[in-house]
Amino acid sequence: MEDVHAHIEELVAEEHRLWQLESEGNATGGDRERLDHVKVELDRYWDLLRRRRAAASAGADAEDVELRSETTVENYLQ
């Protein structure tokens, strides 16, 4: 799960940088598109981390839990 944690940290850092550009009024259209992509990727990786932790708690192999598609994660009912 360390690789998942590391990837989440990288995405959070990039998200922060992109939000900073936006708040300063310096974001480009490409920056905004990238921010949208990063937010979705963060959702996907947080989902993966939660499901891997649940699998490990249940005695299953956490590494067997795979990353879900963007469509699946982004269409969860709240």
Side-chain angles (χ1 to χ4, degrees):
M1 280 193 267
E2 292 302 318
D3 57 330
V4 175
H5 284 277
H7 191 62
I8 288 171
E9 288 178 15
E10 291 169 6
L11 290 169
V12 168
E14 184 175 6
E15 181 185 42
H16 183 264
R17 181 185 64 77
L18 292 166
W19 276 117
Q20 186 69 34
L21 286 172
E22 183 68 30
S23 71
E24 295 169 350
N26 297 322
T28 65
D31 293 331
R32 290 181 191 98
E33 285 180 31
R34 179 63 187 157
L35 180 57
D36 289 341
H37 177 76
V38 167
K39 290 190 304 187
V40 171
E41 284 300 292
L42 274 169
D43 289 346
R44 292 176 70 207
Y45 276 87
W46 279 120
D47 171 73
L48 177 64
L49 184 61
R50 283 189 295 273
R51 290 184 308 112
R52 284 191 173 179
R53 285 178 176 165
S57 292
D61 186 356
E63 295 299 318
D64 288 343
V65 177
E66 295 184 7
L67 189 64
R68 290 184 185 174
S69 72
E70 172 183 333
T71 305
T72 299
V73 174
E74 292 303 300
N75 290 318
Y76 285 151
L77 295 177
Q78 297 294 322

